[in-house]
Amino acid sequence: MRRLLVGILLGCIPWGSLEVKAQSTGIVQGQVTEEESGRPLSGVQVLIVDTDRGALTNEQGRYRIEGVPAGDLAVRAEGLGYSPDQQDVTLRPGQTLTVDFELTISAIKMDEVVAVAYGERTRREIGASISSVTGDRLADVPLARVDGAIQGKASGVQIVQNAGNPGSGMTIRIRGSSSVSASNQPLWVIDGVPIFDGDFSQLGMGGQDLSGVTGLSPNDIESIDILKDAAATALYGSRGSNGVVLVRTKRGARGAPRFTIGTSLGVQDVPNRLDLLNSTEYLEYFNESATNDGYREDYYGTVGVDDRINTDWQEALFRTAPVRNVDLSVSGGQDRVNYRLSGSYFDQNGVVMGSGYDRFNVRANLDVNAHERVSLKGSLGFSWETIDRLEGDWSLTGVVPMGVAAQPIYPVRLEDGSFQGLRTQWPPDGLSYPNAVAMATYNWAETRTKRAIGNVEGQFQFAQALSLTTRAGFDILTMRENQWEDPRVEGIYAASAEGIAKTGFSTGDRFVMDSYLTFEPEVGDQSLTVEVGGTAELTDRENSFVRGEGFSNLHFNRARNAANPIVADASETSNNLVGVFSRVDYSLNGKYFLTGNFRADASSRFGPENRWGLFPGASFVWLVSEEGFFPTEGLVNELRFRLNYGITGNQAISDYPFQGLFGSANYGSEPGLAPSTLANENLKWERTREFNVGLDASFFRGRIGLEADYYLKKTDDLLLSRPITGTSGFTSVFANVGGIENRGVELRINTINVQPRGTGDFGWSSDFNISFNENEVVSLFNDEPFNAGRRNVNRVEVGEPLGAFHMLRFLGVDPETGNATFSEDREIVGSPHPDFTGGLNNSIQWKGFDLNTFLQFSYGAEIFNAMRLFADAGGWYLDNQFEHVLNRWQEPGDQTNVPRASFNGASGARELSSRFIEDGSYLRIQEVTLGYTLPSDLAGRMGASSVRLYVSGQNLYTFTDYMGFTPDVNSDGSSANLSLGTDFYAYPIPRSLTIGVRGTW
C-alpha cells in the first residue's frame, strides 16, 4: 500500500513544468535587526511568500536567498517572539536585491492571517472573537480525530472525549450549550466546504458514536480557526449559533519539488484502572451483606477456600496496543501552477481487546494562475476508514461493563481452555453476567467508511477593484456496517437466538455552490471592501438496515445467511438550504475598523411561512495604540478594543419536522399506515443573539500578550421536542418554546519568558488560556420543568443550568443503623457544566532541541458515575464493587459515608441519589514532546534539508478525585444535549508513548 501511495504521488507531479531558467531568477539578501536595540537577530526565518525559497539569518542577522523567481514578490521575516514583517518588492532577472527588516518584540501576532467566512483577514482588523490553532501544534499527534488534538488549546471551546475507543465521536461546545433538541455541535468547514459531522451509524453501540472529522489527517492541516461569536459566524447564518470551525489544508508554493516524509510508532495502555475488590474482599463483603440481613455467614462461599482464584478482569480485558502512522507529501510549483499532494496511513489498535481503527488518506491541492485575470483553486481529499467497534457505555451487555462487573472469584477460562460460564444455581456457582473476554473474542462489529471531500474555486478579476469568486464543493460519504453476536457467548440473547447478524448501509451526499462579488475601491487613507453573494446547499441521506437471527454455521455470519430475517428497514431524507449574504469592511487611518455582515437563509426544514431567517452582525475595532496620545514608552505597548453584536440561527434538527408524517403500521400480514409525527406549520428558526466586547494588549515591550473577551449569548425560540398529552395520539411535538442564556469570560495570555539572543540560544515561551461560562435556562413552555436523560436524572428547569442533576440528596449514613439518609424529595444536586476550562502550553528551544509541554484542565463540573448503580449498590447486585466500600458501616457508632452491605438492598445504598454524583475536576498532563533537529550539515549528508527526531507522550497522567477511568467522559455521545456528564462504563482513554522522525528533501 505504501509503495502504491508513493507511486501515485510521484506520477502526479508535473515534472516538466518545474524547470526554472537561470536568467529568470535573482538574489534577495539583507539584514534583520531588533527595532528597539538595533542588535542583529539570528535564527529569523526570511521567506519569499508563495514559494519554497527562504533562509535563516546568521549571527550577524544577515541572510541570502538565491534562485528567487523574478517579478513582484512579498518578502516576509518571522522570528520567535517578534511581530512578523512583510515587504512588497520587485526583483528583476539577474538582480541582487537588498531587503532589510526591523522586528518588534511581541507576544501577540496582530498581523497573523486568519480564516473568516468566505475569505481571510489579518487579526488586526477583525472585531470578532476567533481562536486559532496552527498546524504545527497538530502535527505528529497520534489521534484519529482532529478535534481531539485541539482539546484545551483554544479559549471558549470545551471538548469532551466521550470515550477512548479509537474513532469515537467527541462532544464540542463553543461558549456553552444553546439548544435543547437541536444540535449543539459546531459547523465544520474544510477548505470552504461545510461537511457532515453527524453520526451515520445504525448500530446500537451505546454512546460510542461516530462523527465526520476522523477522515482528515492532522499533518495536512495548515491552521484551524474557530469562529466563536455571532459577528464572526453571522455569514453562516442558519448554522452559526454553535460556532464554526474553519479548517485550511496545506497548499503548495513555487519552487522545486519538496518532499516531506514522517513516520511514528507508539504504544498505548490504560493509565488509570478502576480500584475494585479482590477475591477475599469480595467474599467478605457479600457474606457480610447476607449476615446483615439474617442469612448464614458463608452464604457466598468460605473465605480461604472459595477465594483461591483471584482474577483481575481488567488485566484480562485491557492490553498494551500499538499505534502507527506514516505520511508523505510533495509540493512545489512554478509561476502559474502550485501543487501539494499527500497521503497517509494511520493504524491504532484499541487498548480493549477486539477494538481498533485504521485510516488511509490521499489529498491533492492545486492552484493555477490561468491568466492575469483568472485564478483557479482545487482541493480533493479521499479517506478510507475501518473501525472495529465494541458495544459499550449504556449497554448492559457491553464488553467493558461486563469486565468491570465480573466476580473475581471465577477465572476467565476453565482448565480445559473453555470460557468460564454462567451460574447454574443459587447461591451462584459461576459468573452472574456474560464472560467479557468471551464477548470480545467471539462478537465483533466492523464499520467501513469511504469519503470524498473536494471543491473547485475560480476567481475572475473584472478590474483592479472588482472580482468574482465562484466555488463548488461536495462531501460524499458511504458507510457499511456489519455486526455479529455469537451464540457461544452465554447470557446474551444471541445464545438463545442461535446468533444475530446486523448489516447497515448509509450514504450522505452534500453539494454546495457559493458565488460572490468583491469590490475594493481606492479611497485614500481609508479602506473599503464590499462583498455580495449567494449560496445553495443540497443534502441527501439514505439508510438501509437488516437484522437476522438463527445461523446453522458460525462462519456464515452475515445477515443474508440468517434463517429468520427479523428487521428490514430503509429510509431516505433530504434537505436544502439557499441563502444570500453581504459583508462590508471599512477602515480609517489604519486605526478604526468597522465590519457589517448580513445573511438571509431559507431552509426546507421549516414551513413555507417561516422558511426564511435573517441574520445580521456588526463589529468595531479601535487600535488605541495607533493614536497620537498613546505613550510610546510605558507598560502597555499595544492596545486594541473590540465590540460586536450579531444574530445567528440553528436548523440542526431532523428533516420534515413541520409536516405531519406517516409511517408503516401493519396489522399482522396486512400493510398499513398511521400518523407518526404531529404537524406544526408555525415551526421556525431557533435564534441566538450575542454581544461581545474584547481587549487585546501587549506589555513590557511585547513580552506579554493579553486577549480578553466578555460575551452574553441569548437563545430564544428554542427548537424543542415538547411533551404533550397522550390523548392526542402523540407524546411530543416540535415547537419553538423557551430560551437559554450563556455568559462568560475568556482570557488568553502569551508570554516570551526568555528571548533567544542568537541561533541555538535558549528560548522559552508560554501560552495560557482559561474560559469561564455560566449556562442558564431562562424560559420554557409555561415555565414547566421536565426531566430527561438516563434514569431521568437530568433536569430542564428555569433558573438552572441545562441538564442539571436532579435526584435525592444524600445526607449521610445513620451511625446507629448503617442506612443511608436522604432528602424528602428530589432536588438539584449538581451541574455537568464546568465553571472553567483551559490549558497551558510551554515551548522551549535550545541548540537544536525543542521541548513542548501541554497541561489541560477543567474545574467545577460534576459527573453522574452511573457505574456505581451496580458497583456500589450495597450487595443488591453481584457486580464487583469499588474499593471504597471497604470503608462501609459495619457496627453501631461507625462514622462513614458508605452505607452497610445489605443482601436485601435495605440499606439505601442502591437508591438513585447524589451519592453517585462526583467531582469531575481534573488537571491532565496531556502532552510532552521532546524533539531534536539534526544540524543542517548532518542532514545535508543524507540529502535532506531538515530532519527532526522526536518522542512524545499523550494523556500521561490525570490529577483527579473521580473514581472512574477518566472524568473526561460523556457516555451518551456527541448528540447528547441534556445528559452531559454521565459515565456508564465508558471505554477508557488510552495513554500513549510515541517515537517518530520527520524529514524534508
Side-chain angles (χ1 to χ4, degrees), residues 9-78:
L9 295 177
L10 295 180
C12 292
I13 299 172
W15 297 101
S17 67
L18 300 177
E19 296 179 3
V20 181
K21 297 181 180 179
Q23 61 266 31
S24 64
T25 65
I27 298 171
V28 176
Q29 64 182 17
Q31 186 180 34
V32 182
T33 57
E34 186 179 89
E35 183 182 50
E36 177 187 357
S37 64
R39 69 179 180 88
L41 295 178
S42 62
V44 174
Q45 188 175 43
V46 183
L47 301 169
I48 309 300
V49 178
D50 292 331
T51 77
D52 66 345
R53 300 296 178 182
L56 293 176
T57 56
N58 60 20
E59 295 292 339
Q60 290 75 44
R62 298 193 177 278
Y63 71 93
R64 179 181 175 89
I65 308 174
E66 300 179 351
V68 179
D72 294 331
L73 306 171
V75 186
R76 184 177 179 87
E78 298 178 344

Side-chain angles (χ1 to χ4, degrees), residues 969-997:
V969 64
N970 176 23
S971 285
D972 276 313
S974 306
S975 61
N977 290 345
L978 307 182
S979 53
L980 297 173
T982 297
D983 182 3
F984 191 82
Y985 301 97
Y987 189 118
I989 298 174
R991 169 177 53 198
S992 66
L993 181 65
T994 306
I995 58 172
V997 59

